[in-house]
Amino acid sequence: MPSTYRAGIIGCGSIAAYHARGYLGLDNVEIVAIADPVAPSLAAFGDRFTIDRRYSEPREMLDKEHLDIVSVCTWHRLHAPMTIAACARKPKALLCEKPMALNLGECDEMMIAAKRNDVKLAIAHQRRFNPVWTEARNLVTSGAIGQVR
């Protein structure tokens, strides 16, 4: 097991900052590279988190950086293609933002890519601990809203 895991972030929008702060809070993870085709976003994010290796093409980052962990923080429609591309490079783990994908077929493709390449795939659903979401779950499981289909 490496003493420090090499992390890369695909997509440098607002949600990516949460991933970056999470990684920065760990002693054994270093954010080594970021990728985003939007030059101003890439530059601002890289400057904010002092990340020097910046790529406009995510697949180039994946090929060159040999990452242990990849965060996919792109627009929804890119979750599946970026996750599948990252899994093909065999990181140890991949964290994809929600929603997982646009349809069940893409979800299946993502899971197949992760399994085929022995990648731990996680989807960010941190709202499950939000009191409003917890109450909604309780209403569903108690039958208060009727039978769910």
Side-chain angles (χ1 to χ4, degrees):
M1 225 163 79
S3 58
T4 302
Y5 293 98
R6 298 169 47 80
I9 299 173
I10 300 173
C12 295
S14 60
I15 198 66
Y18 290 96
H19 289 244
R21 286 195 297 272
Y23 292 137
L24 292 172
L26 301 170
D27 293 334
N28 62 342
V29 177
E30 176 188 5
I31 306 169
V32 297
I34 54 175
D36 195 305
V38 180
S41 296
L42 184 66
F45 192 88
D47 292 349
R48 178 178 176 188
F49 293 101
T50 56
I51 302 164
D52 295 329
R53 291 193 288 263
R54 305 170 186 184
Y55 297 86
S56 60
E57 168 48 50
R59 287 172 181 85
E60 181 183 5
M61 177 186 77
L62 295 168
D63 288 337
K64 291 184 175 178
E65 296 296 339
H66 308 289
L67 301 167
D68 298 307
I69 304 168
V70 176
S71 279
V72 175
C73 302
T74 62
W75 289 100
H76 306 345
R77 66 182 176 81
L78 294 176
H79 287 181
M82 288 296 100
T83 295
I84 292 165
C87 285
R89 277 65 171 197
K90 301 184 180 198
K92 291 172 179 41
L94 189 141
L95 177 58
C96 179
E97 265 304 319
K98 63 189 169 317
M100 182 175 183
L102 298 182
N103 57 61
L104 286 175
E106 286 183 349
C107 294
D108 289 341
E109 291 172 12
M110 293 165 72
M111 292 187 303
I112 289 167
K115 185 174 183 177
R116 180 179 293 142
N117 293 291
D118 197 29
V119 177
K120 302 285 187 211
L121 173 61
I123 309 302
H125 288 289
Q126 73 279 8
R127 290 185 181 158
R128 68 186 174 273
F129 298 114
N130 181 299
V132 173
W133 291 85
T134 302
E135 181 59 22
R137 181 189 178 280
N138 292 340
L139 290 170
V140 170
T141 58
S142 73
I145 65 167
Q147 184 179 4
V148 178
R149 293 189 245 173

